[in-house]
């Protein structure tokens, strides 16, 4: 059985601050947000979305897909980090620390 390293699996975080002053800007921001959801991202906070990518090459491919959808106005940041780093994240809600994310079971390929 092969051991999988928490340093090889990758997560992606997309953070954005898009203008929403006009109706057209709100529409573009909503479209970008929905596109992230369609790509399999989950909302961590309103303008912060996360996705497990598996490998560095999968994260790079996803980055390319997102780059094509970035609106011309505003700011979009993409952060890629290891599963080990993700496991060190501390989340607080309402002043209380939330339980760690449930660990995923090991993947065994036969």
């Amino acid at each position: 059985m092969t051991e999988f390293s928490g340093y090889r699996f990758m997560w992606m975080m997309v953070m954005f601050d898009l203008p929403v002053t006009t109706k057209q800007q709100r529409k573009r921001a909503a479209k970008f947000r929905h596109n992230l959801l369609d790509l399999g991202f989950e909302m961590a906070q309103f303008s912060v979305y996360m996705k497990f990518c598996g490998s560095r090459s999968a994260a790079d491919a996803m980055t390319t897909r997102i780059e094509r959808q970035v609106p011309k106005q505003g700011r979009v940041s993409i952060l890629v980090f290891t599963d080990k780093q993700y496991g060190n994240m501390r989340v607080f809600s309402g002043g209380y620390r939330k339980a760690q994310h449930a660990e995923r079971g090991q993947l065994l390929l036969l």
Side-chain angles (χ1 to χ4, degrees), residues 33-51:
R33 184 178 162 283
H34 284 90
N35 286 341
L36 290 176
L37 294 171
D38 290 344
L39 290 172
F41 282 82
E42 293 183 23
M43 184 172 68
Q45 295 181 13
F46 189 70
S47 294
V48 179
Y49 287 74
M50 307 264 308
K51 178 179 176 65

Side-chain angles (χ1 to χ4, degrees), residues 10-15 41 49-51 53 56 59 63 76-81 85:
M10 305 302 288
W11 283 85
M12 178 178 284
M13 178 184 291
V14 177
M15 302 161 281
F41 282 82
Y49 287 74
M50 307 264 308
K51 178 179 176 65
C53 292
R56 183 63 188 198
T63 299
V76 175
S77 301
I78 299 173
L79 175 66
V80 177
F81 49 94
Q85 291 167 321

